[in-house]
Amino acid sequence: MPYPQERPRRLRRSAAIRRMVRETELRVTDLICPFFVVGGRNIKTAVPAMPGICQLSVDNLLQEVKELQVLGLPAVLLFGLPGRKDALGSGAWDREGPVPQAVQALKDAYPELVVITDVCLCGYTENGHCGVTQKGQIQNDLTLELLAKIALCHAAAGADIIAPSDMMDGRVGALRAALDGEGYSEVAILSYAVKYASAFYGPFRQAADCAPSFGDRTTYQLDPANGREAMREVVLDLQEGADLLMVKPALPYLDIVRRVREASSCPLVAYNVSGEYAMLKAAAERGWLEERRAVLETLLCIKRAGADLIITYHALEAARWLWAEER
Ligand code: PBG
């Protein structure tokens, strides 16, 4: 009979004991902060569905990243909004575009900062799809050639890690070959290996102005019903040379985070996406949730599920709270 000999509450009696037996720890070094970068100067445009998040011009981005640096946050993930869009998304590999400009400025100002760039076409194509469209179809292999141009543009600007989020087949291998061919063998690839066709990207599409104008992304992103298929994507991306793997979204997919963790020793990143952020913010604004506790618990639980790193729009606030806790 376990009870009364067994009493798990003995180890919950005091804060000091609870701390000693705590299994998972959330650290500021686990967090990656996303940013939306635009051209021009002194621009700071709020994103209505993501309270606290703004589209920033490079000068303002440098200011915001300064605080992150002080708090010890190691990495940023950059998304760009181009001045113009076209059928091929050519703004994505424009060296004068917001992302390469931001990469250069950040690396100059903060050499230690790890700069990760999103590689995708959806913010740059007229129809908002992640690949090139011909006859109403997303063209996989043609898209790979364009993604390679984007990756090289970001690498030339000084990006440490490129993160393809388009979900075309074969993109990790194509990008690895392109980078190596141009002398960028040290640039790492963070693969959105497991990216689901999710409703939780809604607010992001407002922030990055990339909602598809027809159809949806179900011909390239994974079906939320599928778990085994996630494992297939992981195997393929590792074979193609991914250095880090990502599962996205995070919260409704923590079972997938756990499965990928168990299947691979590769560093694992979970993306706590815009819709997950908006839900907590909305509830907190109404006083329905205690924001700080809810955010820190959410991030901790994503780690407990198996993620090494978390991309989150809560990064700056969470870093402030963690920083204060450590003192
Ligand atoms: C674009 C991209 C999306 C996100 C990251 N890269 C949106 C989409 O696929 O529609 C979503 C991120 C978020 O919701 O926070 N390829």
Side-chain angles (χ1 to χ4, degrees), residues 154-228:
H154 294 177
D160 297 293
I161 303 177
I162 56 152
S165 68
D166 52 280
M167 290 306 283
M168 297 299 118
D169 291 331
R171 73 213 196 283
V172 173
L175 296 184
R176 188 69 270 159
L179 290 168
D180 291 354
E182 296 293 323
Y184 297 113
S185 56
E186 79 285 2
V187 173
I189 298 179
L190 160 56
S191 175
Y192 285 67
V194 189
K195 178 175 176 181
Y196 286 93
S198 173
F200 291 92
Y201 307 150
F204 174 94
R205 292 181 186 170
Q206 193 180 68
D209 185 27
C210 69
S213 62
F214 69 89
D216 54 31
R217 304 210 200 287
T218 48
T219 69
Y220 40 104
Q221 300 178 346
L222 275 79
D223 183 336
N226 294 355
R228 291 193 309 266

Side-chain angles (χ1 to χ4, degrees), residues 79 118 120 122 130 165 195 200-201 204-205 217 221 248 271 273-274 313:
F79 295 93
D118 182 71
C120 192
C122 66
C130 303
S165 68
K195 178 175 176 181
F200 291 92
Y201 307 150
F204 174 94
R205 292 181 186 170
R217 304 210 200 287
Q221 300 178 346
K248 173 185 178 184
Y271 199 143
V273 300
S274 58
Y313 303 96

Side-chain angles (χ1 to χ4, degrees), residues 98-212:
V99 169
Q101 295 291 311
V103 173
Q104 260 171 24
L106 286 170
K107 292 305 282 188
D108 283 349
Y110 316 110
E112 304 282 277
L113 181 75
V114 177
V115 178
I116 311 173
T117 58
D118 182 71
V119 170
C120 192
L121 287 176
C122 66
Y124 302 86
T125 50
E126 282 157 347
N127 64 24
H129 274 291
C130 303
V132 185
T133 314
Q134 280 176 351
K135 301 185 192 113
Q137 305 282 324
I138 311 303
Q139 303 296 318
N140 194 89
D141 298 4
L142 181 54
T143 301
L144 297 185
E145 292 171 30
L146 305 183
L147 295 173
K149 285 175 188 260
I150 307 174
L152 290 175
C153 170
H154 294 177
D160 297 293
I161 303 177
I162 56 152
S165 68
D166 52 280
M167 290 306 283
M168 297 299 118
D169 291 331
R171 73 213 196 283
V172 173
L175 296 184
R176 188 69 270 159
L179 290 168
D180 291 354
E182 296 293 323
Y184 297 113
S185 56
E186 79 285 2
V187 173
I189 298 179
L190 160 56
S191 175
Y192 285 67
V194 189
K195 178 175 176 181
Y196 286 93
S198 173
F200 291 92
Y201 307 150
F204 174 94
R205 292 181 186 170
Q206 193 180 68
D209 185 27
C210 69

Side-chain angles (χ1 to χ4, degrees), residues 226-276:
N226 294 355
R228 291 193 309 266
E229 190 185 1
M231 308 320 290
R232 186 168 177 223
E233 287 281 2
V234 163
V235 168
L236 292 172
D237 282 12
L238 287 173
Q239 284 170 351
E240 290 177 33
D243 299 287
L244 306 102
L245 296 171
M246 190 196 299
V247 172
K248 173 185 178 184
L251 289 183
Y253 299 89
L254 291 184
D255 59 323
I256 306 297
V257 170
R258 168 57 48 185
R259 282 168 77 169
V260 174
R261 166 74 302 141
E262 283 169 359
S264 162
S265 53
C266 195
L268 179 58
V269 182
Y271 199 143
N272 176 224
V273 300
S274 58
E276 300 171 44

